[in-house]
Every structure is written in structure tokens, then in C-alpha cells.
Short mmCIF file of all heavy atoms in Angstrom, two decimals:
data_model
loop_
_atom_site.label_atom_id
_atom_site.label_comp_id
_atom_site.label_asym_id
_atom_site.label_seq_id
_atom_site.Cartn_x
_atom_site.Cartn_y
_atom_site.Cartn_z
N ALA A 1 55.02 -13.52 -55.29
CA ALA A 1 56.19 -14.22 -55.84
C ALA A 1 56.67 -15.31 -54.91
O ALA A 1 57.10 -16.40 -55.36
CB ALA A 1 57.31 -13.22 -56.12
N MET A 2 56.62 -15.07 -53.60
CA MET A 2 57.04 -16.10 -52.65
C MET A 2 56.10 -17.31 -52.68
O MET A 2 56.55 -18.46 -52.63
CB MET A 2 57.12 -15.51 -51.25
CG MET A 2 58.30 -14.58 -51.04
SD MET A 2 58.54 -14.09 -49.31
CE MET A 2 57.31 -12.78 -49.15
N ILE A 3 54.80 -17.05 -52.77
CA ILE A 3 53.85 -18.16 -52.87
C ILE A 3 54.07 -18.92 -54.17
O ILE A 3 54.10 -20.16 -54.19
CB ILE A 3 52.40 -17.64 -52.78
CG1 ILE A 3 52.15 -16.96 -51.42
CG2 ILE A 3 51.42 -18.77 -53.03
CD1 ILE A 3 52.29 -17.84 -50.22
N ASP A 4 54.25 -18.21 -55.27
CA ASP A 4 54.49 -18.87 -56.56
C ASP A 4 55.74 -19.73 -56.53
O ASP A 4 55.83 -20.76 -57.21
CB ASP A 4 54.60 -17.83 -57.68
CG ASP A 4 53.28 -17.17 -58.01
OD1 ASP A 4 52.22 -17.75 -57.68
OD2 ASP A 4 53.29 -16.07 -58.60
N ALA A 5 56.74 -19.32 -55.74
CA ALA A 5 58.00 -20.07 -55.66
C ALA A 5 57.89 -21.29 -54.76
O ALA A 5 58.79 -22.14 -54.78
CB ALA A 5 59.11 -19.16 -55.15
N GLY A 6 56.82 -21.40 -53.97
CA GLY A 6 56.65 -22.59 -53.15
C GLY A 6 56.42 -22.33 -51.68
O GLY A 6 56.29 -23.29 -50.90
N ALA A 7 56.36 -21.07 -51.24
CA ALA A 7 56.04 -20.79 -49.84
C ALA A 7 54.59 -21.16 -49.57
O ALA A 7 53.70 -20.89 -50.39
CB ALA A 7 56.29 -19.33 -49.51
N ASP A 8 54.34 -21.77 -48.44
CA ASP A 8 52.98 -22.13 -48.06
C ASP A 8 52.29 -21.01 -47.29
O ASP A 8 51.06 -20.94 -47.25
CB ASP A 8 53.00 -23.39 -47.18
CG ASP A 8 53.54 -24.59 -47.94
OD1 ASP A 8 52.79 -25.12 -48.77
OD2 ASP A 8 54.70 -24.96 -47.73
N LEU A 9 53.08 -20.12 -46.70
CA LEU A 9 52.54 -19.07 -45.86
C LEU A 9 53.58 -17.96 -45.75
O LEU A 9 54.78 -18.23 -45.69
CB LEU A 9 52.24 -19.64 -44.47
CG LEU A 9 51.69 -18.70 -43.41
CD1 LEU A 9 50.24 -18.33 -43.71
CD2 LEU A 9 51.77 -19.34 -42.03
N VAL A 10 53.11 -16.71 -45.71
CA VAL A 10 53.98 -15.55 -45.50
C VAL A 10 53.47 -14.81 -44.27
O VAL A 10 52.28 -14.51 -44.18
CB VAL A 10 53.98 -14.61 -46.72
CG1 VAL A 10 54.82 -13.36 -46.44
CG2 VAL A 10 54.48 -15.33 -47.97
N VAL A 11 54.38 -14.53 -43.32
CA VAL A 11 54.01 -13.80 -42.11
C VAL A 11 55.04 -12.70 -41.90
O VAL A 11 56.20 -12.97 -41.63
CB VAL A 11 53.96 -14.70 -40.86
CG1 VAL A 11 53.41 -13.91 -39.68
CG2 VAL A 11 53.10 -15.94 -41.11
N GLY A 12 54.60 -11.43 -42.03
CA GLY A 12 55.52 -10.31 -42.00
C GLY A 12 55.49 -9.51 -40.71
O GLY A 12 54.67 -9.74 -39.82
N GLY A 13 56.42 -8.54 -40.64
CA GLY A 13 56.51 -7.64 -39.51
C GLY A 13 57.08 -6.31 -39.95
O GLY A 13 57.41 -6.12 -41.11
N HIS A 14 57.20 -5.37 -39.02
CA HIS A 14 57.80 -4.04 -39.11
C HIS A 14 56.80 -2.89 -38.99
O HIS A 14 57.11 -1.90 -38.30
CB HIS A 14 58.64 -3.81 -40.37
CG HIS A 14 59.07 -2.38 -40.52
ND1 HIS A 14 59.99 -1.79 -39.67
CD2 HIS A 14 58.67 -1.38 -41.37
CE1 HIS A 14 60.16 -0.51 -40.03
NE2 HIS A 14 59.37 -0.23 -41.03
N PRO A 15 55.61 -2.92 -39.60
CA PRO A 15 54.75 -1.71 -39.57
C PRO A 15 54.28 -1.27 -38.18
O PRO A 15 53.75 -0.17 -38.05
CB PRO A 15 53.58 -2.11 -40.47
CG PRO A 15 54.20 -3.03 -41.47
CD PRO A 15 55.15 -3.86 -40.64
N HIS A 16 54.37 -2.13 -37.16
CA HIS A 16 53.99 -1.80 -35.78
C HIS A 16 52.47 -1.72 -35.58
O HIS A 16 52.03 -1.49 -34.45
CB HIS A 16 54.66 -0.50 -35.29
CG HIS A 16 56.15 -0.54 -35.36
ND1 HIS A 16 56.91 -1.42 -34.62
CD2 HIS A 16 57.02 0.19 -36.10
CE1 HIS A 16 58.19 -1.22 -34.89
NE2 HIS A 16 58.29 -0.27 -35.79
N TRP A 17 51.70 -1.90 -36.62
CA TRP A 17 50.26 -2.07 -36.55
C TRP A 17 49.92 -3.41 -37.21
O TRP A 17 50.67 -3.88 -38.08
CB TRP A 17 49.51 -0.99 -37.34
CG TRP A 17 49.50 0.38 -36.77
CD1 TRP A 17 50.29 0.90 -35.77
CD2 TRP A 17 48.66 1.46 -37.21
NE1 TRP A 17 49.99 2.21 -35.56
CE2 TRP A 17 49.00 2.59 -36.41
CE3 TRP A 17 47.66 1.58 -38.17
CZ2 TRP A 17 48.36 3.82 -36.58
CZ3 TRP A 17 47.03 2.81 -38.33
CH2 TRP A 17 47.37 3.91 -37.55
N VAL A 18 48.80 -4.00 -36.80
CA VAL A 18 48.32 -5.15 -37.56
C VAL A 18 47.96 -4.67 -38.97
O VAL A 18 47.45 -3.56 -39.15
CB VAL A 18 47.09 -5.82 -36.90
CG1 VAL A 18 47.47 -6.44 -35.57
CG2 VAL A 18 45.94 -4.84 -36.71
N GLN A 19 48.28 -5.50 -39.95
CA GLN A 19 47.93 -5.18 -41.33
C GLN A 19 47.02 -6.26 -41.91
O GLN A 19 46.83 -7.32 -41.31
CB GLN A 19 49.19 -5.04 -42.18
CG GLN A 19 49.98 -3.78 -41.91
CD GLN A 19 50.95 -3.44 -43.02
OE1 GLN A 19 51.47 -4.31 -43.73
NE2 GLN A 19 51.23 -2.15 -43.18
N GLY A 20 46.47 -5.96 -43.09
CA GLY A 20 45.53 -6.87 -43.71
C GLY A 20 46.17 -8.16 -44.20
O GLY A 20 47.38 -8.29 -44.33
N ILE A 21 45.29 -9.12 -44.48
CA ILE A 21 45.69 -10.44 -44.98
C ILE A 21 45.34 -10.52 -46.47
O ILE A 21 44.20 -10.22 -46.85
CB ILE A 21 44.96 -11.55 -44.23
CG1 ILE A 21 45.23 -11.45 -42.73
CG2 ILE A 21 45.36 -12.93 -44.76
CD1 ILE A 21 44.30 -12.28 -41.90
N GLN A 22 46.30 -10.90 -47.26
CA GLN A 22 46.04 -11.11 -48.68
C GLN A 22 45.99 -12.61 -48.98
O GLN A 22 46.53 -13.42 -48.22
CB GLN A 22 47.13 -10.47 -49.55
CG GLN A 22 46.84 -9.01 -49.90
CD GLN A 22 46.81 -8.11 -48.69
OE1 GLN A 22 47.81 -7.98 -47.98
NE2 GLN A 22 45.68 -7.49 -48.44
N MET A 23 45.32 -12.95 -50.07
CA MET A 23 45.23 -14.34 -50.53
C MET A 23 45.86 -14.43 -51.91
O MET A 23 45.60 -13.58 -52.77
CB MET A 23 43.77 -14.80 -50.61
CG MET A 23 43.05 -14.85 -49.27
SD MET A 23 43.60 -16.22 -48.25
CE MET A 23 42.99 -17.63 -49.21
N HIS A 24 46.67 -15.45 -52.11
CA HIS A 24 47.23 -15.71 -53.42
C HIS A 24 47.26 -17.22 -53.62
O HIS A 24 47.89 -17.93 -52.86
CB HIS A 24 48.64 -15.13 -53.55
CG HIS A 24 49.25 -15.31 -54.91
ND1 HIS A 24 48.76 -14.67 -56.03
CD2 HIS A 24 50.29 -16.07 -55.34
CE1 HIS A 24 49.48 -15.01 -57.08
NE2 HIS A 24 50.41 -15.87 -56.69
N ARG A 25 46.52 -17.66 -54.62
CA ARG A 25 46.42 -19.09 -54.91
C ARG A 25 46.02 -19.87 -53.66
O ARG A 25 46.56 -20.92 -53.35
CB ARG A 25 47.75 -19.62 -55.47
CG ARG A 25 48.09 -19.04 -56.84
CD ARG A 25 49.47 -19.44 -57.31
NE ARG A 25 49.67 -20.87 -57.20
CZ ARG A 25 50.86 -21.48 -57.27
NH1 ARG A 25 51.96 -20.76 -57.42
NH2 ARG A 25 50.96 -22.77 -57.17
N ARG A 26 45.06 -19.30 -52.91
CA ARG A 26 44.50 -19.92 -51.70
C ARG A 26 45.50 -20.03 -50.56
O ARG A 26 45.29 -20.76 -49.60
CB ARG A 26 43.90 -21.29 -52.00
CG ARG A 26 42.84 -21.32 -53.08
CD ARG A 26 41.53 -20.78 -52.63
NE ARG A 26 40.86 -21.63 -51.65
CZ ARG A 26 39.73 -21.29 -51.04
NH1 ARG A 26 39.18 -20.11 -51.29
NH2 ARG A 26 39.18 -22.10 -50.17
N HIS A 27 46.61 -19.29 -50.64
CA HIS A 27 47.59 -19.24 -49.56
C HIS A 27 47.52 -17.87 -48.89
O HIS A 27 47.24 -16.86 -49.53
CB HIS A 27 49.01 -19.48 -50.09
CG HIS A 27 49.24 -20.87 -50.58
ND1 HIS A 27 49.66 -21.89 -49.76
CD2 HIS A 27 49.10 -21.43 -51.81
CE1 HIS A 27 49.79 -23.01 -50.46
NE2 HIS A 27 49.44 -22.75 -51.71
N LEU A 28 47.84 -17.83 -47.59
CA LEU A 28 47.74 -16.61 -46.81
C LEU A 28 49.04 -15.80 -46.85
O LEU A 28 50.14 -16.36 -46.71
CB LEU A 28 47.43 -16.92 -45.35
CG LEU A 28 46.20 -17.77 -45.02
CD1 LEU A 28 46.01 -17.82 -43.51
CD2 LEU A 28 44.96 -17.23 -45.69
N ILE A 29 48.89 -14.50 -47.01
CA ILE A 29 49.99 -13.54 -46.84
C ILE A 29 49.55 -12.61 -45.71
O ILE A 29 48.71 -11.72 -45.89
CB ILE A 29 50.26 -12.75 -48.13
CG1 ILE A 29 50.63 -13.71 -49.27
CG2 ILE A 29 51.38 -11.73 -47.90
CD1 ILE A 29 50.62 -13.07 -50.64
N VAL A 30 50.08 -12.87 -44.52
CA VAL A 30 49.75 -12.09 -43.32
C VAL A 30 50.80 -10.99 -43.23
O VAL A 30 51.93 -11.23 -42.83
CB VAL A 30 49.75 -12.97 -42.06
CG1 VAL A 30 49.33 -12.17 -40.85
CG2 VAL A 30 48.82 -14.18 -42.26
N ASN A 31 50.43 -9.78 -43.58
CA ASN A 31 51.42 -8.73 -43.78
C ASN A 31 52.10 -8.27 -42.50
O ASN A 31 53.30 -7.97 -42.51
CB ASN A 31 50.78 -7.55 -44.50
CG ASN A 31 50.59 -7.82 -45.97
OD1 ASN A 31 51.54 -7.82 -46.73
ND2 ASN A 31 49.35 -8.09 -46.37
N CYS A 32 51.37 -8.19 -41.40
CA CYS A 32 51.99 -7.79 -40.14
C CYS A 32 51.09 -8.17 -38.98
O CYS A 32 49.88 -7.91 -39.01
CB CYS A 32 52.27 -6.29 -40.11
SG CYS A 32 53.16 -5.75 -38.61
N LEU A 33 51.69 -8.76 -37.93
CA LEU A 33 50.96 -9.15 -36.73
C LEU A 33 50.96 -8.06 -35.68
O LEU A 33 50.32 -8.21 -34.64
CB LEU A 33 51.59 -10.42 -36.13
CG LEU A 33 51.57 -11.67 -37.01
CD1 LEU A 33 52.37 -12.78 -36.36
CD2 LEU A 33 50.14 -12.12 -37.28
N GLY A 34 51.68 -6.95 -35.94
CA GLY A 34 51.77 -5.87 -34.96
C GLY A 34 52.91 -6.10 -33.98
O GLY A 34 53.63 -7.10 -34.02
N ASN A 35 53.10 -5.13 -33.08
CA ASN A 35 54.09 -5.29 -32.02
C ASN A 35 53.67 -6.40 -31.08
O ASN A 35 52.49 -6.51 -30.73
CB ASN A 35 54.21 -4.00 -31.20
CG ASN A 35 54.84 -2.86 -31.98
OD1 ASN A 35 55.66 -3.08 -32.86
ND2 ASN A 35 54.47 -1.63 -31.63
N PHE A 36 54.64 -7.21 -30.65
CA PHE A 36 54.35 -8.19 -29.61
C PHE A 36 54.81 -7.66 -28.25
O PHE A 36 54.05 -7.62 -27.29
CB PHE A 36 55.02 -9.53 -29.92
CG PHE A 36 54.65 -10.61 -28.93
CD1 PHE A 36 53.32 -11.00 -28.78
CD2 PHE A 36 55.61 -11.22 -28.14
CE1 PHE A 36 52.96 -11.97 -27.85
CE2 PHE A 36 55.26 -12.20 -27.21
CZ PHE A 36 53.93 -12.57 -27.07
N ILE A 37 56.06 -7.26 -28.17
CA ILE A 37 56.56 -6.57 -26.98
C ILE A 37 57.31 -5.34 -27.46
O ILE A 37 58.28 -5.46 -28.23
CB ILE A 37 57.48 -7.47 -26.14
CG1 ILE A 37 56.71 -8.69 -25.61
CG2 ILE A 37 58.09 -6.67 -24.98
CD1 ILE A 37 57.59 -9.71 -24.91
N PHE A 38 56.86 -4.16 -27.03
CA PHE A 38 57.49 -2.91 -27.47
C PHE A 38 57.10 -1.82 -26.48
O PHE A 38 56.14 -1.96 -25.72
CB PHE A 38 57.02 -2.52 -28.88
CG PHE A 38 58.13 -2.33 -29.87
CD1 PHE A 38 58.38 -3.28 -30.84
CD2 PHE A 38 58.93 -1.20 -29.82
CE1 PHE A 38 59.41 -3.12 -31.76
CE2 PHE A 38 59.97 -1.03 -30.74
CZ PHE A 38 60.21 -1.99 -31.71
N ASP A 39 57.85 -0.70 -26.51
CA ASP A 39 57.52 0.42 -25.64
C ASP A 39 56.92 1.59 -26.42
O ASP A 39 57.05 2.74 -26.04
CB ASP A 39 58.75 0.88 -24.84
CG ASP A 39 59.91 1.28 -25.73
OD1 ASP A 39 59.79 1.22 -26.97
OD2 ASP A 39 60.97 1.67 -25.18
N MET A 40 56.22 1.28 -27.50
CA MET A 40 55.53 2.30 -28.30
C MET A 40 54.14 2.54 -27.70
O MET A 40 53.12 2.11 -28.24
CB MET A 40 55.40 1.84 -29.75
CG MET A 40 56.70 1.81 -30.51
SD MET A 40 56.42 1.32 -32.23
CE MET A 40 58.03 1.63 -32.94
N ASP A 41 54.11 3.27 -26.57
CA ASP A 41 52.84 3.46 -25.88
C ASP A 41 52.20 4.79 -26.21
O ASP A 41 51.57 5.43 -25.37
CB ASP A 41 53.04 3.31 -24.37
CG ASP A 41 54.20 4.14 -23.84
OD1 ASP A 41 54.82 4.89 -24.63
OD2 ASP A 41 54.49 4.04 -22.63
N PHE A 42 52.35 5.21 -27.48
CA PHE A 42 51.79 6.50 -27.90
C PHE A 42 50.51 6.39 -28.71
O PHE A 42 49.95 7.40 -29.11
CB PHE A 42 52.83 7.31 -28.69
CG PHE A 42 53.47 6.55 -29.83
CD1 PHE A 42 52.82 6.34 -31.03
CD2 PHE A 42 54.76 6.06 -29.68
CE1 PHE A 42 53.43 5.66 -32.07
CE2 PHE A 42 55.38 5.38 -30.72
CZ PHE A 42 54.71 5.18 -31.92
N SER A 43 50.03 5.16 -28.96
CA SER A 43 48.76 5.01 -29.69
C SER A 43 48.17 3.64 -29.38
O SER A 43 48.87 2.71 -28.98
CB SER A 43 48.96 5.16 -31.20
OG SER A 43 49.55 4.00 -31.75
N GLN A 44 46.87 3.54 -29.58
CA GLN A 44 46.20 2.27 -29.35
C GLN A 44 46.72 1.19 -30.30
O GLN A 44 46.95 0.05 -29.90
CB GLN A 44 44.69 2.42 -29.53
CG GLN A 44 43.89 1.18 -29.14
CD GLN A 44 42.40 1.39 -29.26
OE1 GLN A 44 41.85 1.42 -30.36
NE2 GLN A 44 41.73 1.53 -28.12
#
């Protein structure tokens, strides 16, 4: 819906893991880049 409304790119956060990339109308939806700085040192 965001791409249809005119967004050129979607870049999300919160899941704390990298997530997959979706394509919609040849535009990228990057669901999550993962933690950048965090103290969640309980998993790879």
C-alpha cells in the first residue's frame, strides 16, 4: 500500500533479526535491517 501510494522504498525495523526483502512494482520493501547497536547478546 505504501508503494502504491508513492513511496519509492520501504525500510523497516523492530524484529531484531534481518528479514527478507519483498518486491512490489519493482520497488524494494526491506522489512528489517536487524539491530545496529543493542545489548541483545543472547543469539547470533
